[in-house]
Amino acid sequence: AQSVTQLGSHVSVSEGALVLLRCNYSSSVPPYLFWYVQYPNQGLQLLLKYTSAATLVKGINGFEAEFKKSETSFHLTKPSAHMSDAAEYFCVDNQGGKLIFGQGTELSVKP
Amino acid sequence: DTAVSQTPKYLVTQMGNDKSIKCEQNLGHDTMYWYKQDSKKFLKIMFSYNNKELIINETVPNRFSPKSPDKAHLNLHINSLELGDSAVYFCASSQGGNGLDEQFFGPGTRLTVL
């Protein structure tokens, strides 16, 4: 069965530092991958999605992710963290119309 | 104007009770979903409906029964509530039902079973 693994349940960075949230997938067919963000006490919001058109995907709020088939990875990055980026981030794979979620990574941003 | 709304936001009830959560979307989407988020924030799909027809039904106890009176509404009824049902339930919607379209999530309903 397909699965999504997020390395690190909690990542802490300083404001202005690089954000790197790691995600690996195990799909045996070309995956359709997403990153969703959940701000405290809110629903999820799409950050970006990969659908095989381009390996580097740009999303909202300065985030981007690179699809690397050889590494089965889809890591999320942002060059400079803001306090407002503190949230839970989910890497997601589409399995035949069903979204399969990673376990989530909580990002903390220190002033 | 809220795109996907859920009521109630909080629900506290006793074991054995029956409760419903309502969801409405005003985006004109064809597909709606229910997700369960447990205390460790793990999210799992429960059901999805496309134009009022059930298309995904995960291994959810049959105490959970979704109902879609029209394509803008997807309600979740839970019978004989158990302690393990305590979670946050999210409703979502998307234009298509193949999982490729962005899903828009409601704010969640926090269910606590005592």
Side-chain angles (χ1 to χ4, degrees), chain B residues 52-67:
Chain B
K52 302 195 299 175
E53 286 194 26
L54 181 67
I55 55 173
I56 291 176
N57 184 351
E58 283 297 277
T59 49
V60 176
N62 58 15
R63 298 182 294 105
F64 290 78
S65 52
K67 285 188 171 50

Side-chain angles (χ1 to χ4, degrees), chain B residues 9-26:
Chain B
K9 189 167 174 60
Y10 299 97
L11 187 51
V12 181
T13 188
Q14 300 286 333
M15 267 193 337
N17 284 351
D18 303 338
K19 290 293 178 187
S20 293
I21 307 171
K22 296 188 176 184
C23 178
E24 177 181 3
Q25 55 97 1
N26 63 8

Side-chain angles (χ1 to χ4, degrees), chain B residues 4-13 18-24 32-37 46 64-69 73-79 81 85-92 106-113:
Chain B
V4 182
S5 58
Q6 296 177 229
T7 54
K9 189 167 174 60
Y10 299 97
L11 187 51
V12 181
T13 188
D18 303 338
K19 290 293 178 187
S20 293
I21 307 171
K22 296 188 176 184
C23 178
E24 177 181 3
M32 295 185 72
Y33 311 81
W34 278 110
Y35 290 90
K36 180 179 180 180
Q37 185 174 46
M46 300 173 72
F64 290 78
S65 52
K67 285 188 171 50
S68 182
H73 296 84
L74 180 61
N75 303 323
L76 183 65
H77 188 75
I78 316 171
N79 289 328
L81 278 155
D85 298 332
S86 295
V88 181
Y89 292 84
F90 287 100
C91 176
T109 295
R110 183 174 294 277
L111 172 64
T112 303
V113 182

Side-chain angles (χ1 to χ4, degrees), chain A residues 16-49:
Chain A
L18 171 72
V19 175
L20 171 61
L21 305 183
R22 299 177 188 273
C23 171
N24 288 91
Y25 65 92
S26 68
S27 173
S28 58
V29 297
Y32 290 102
L33 299 165
F34 308 79
W35 276 98
Y36 276 84
V37 60
Q38 183 179 23
Y39 297 105
N41 299 313
Q42 293 186 30
L44 282 75
Q45 179 182 349
L46 181 68
L47 272 180
L48 50 82
K49 68 178 181 181

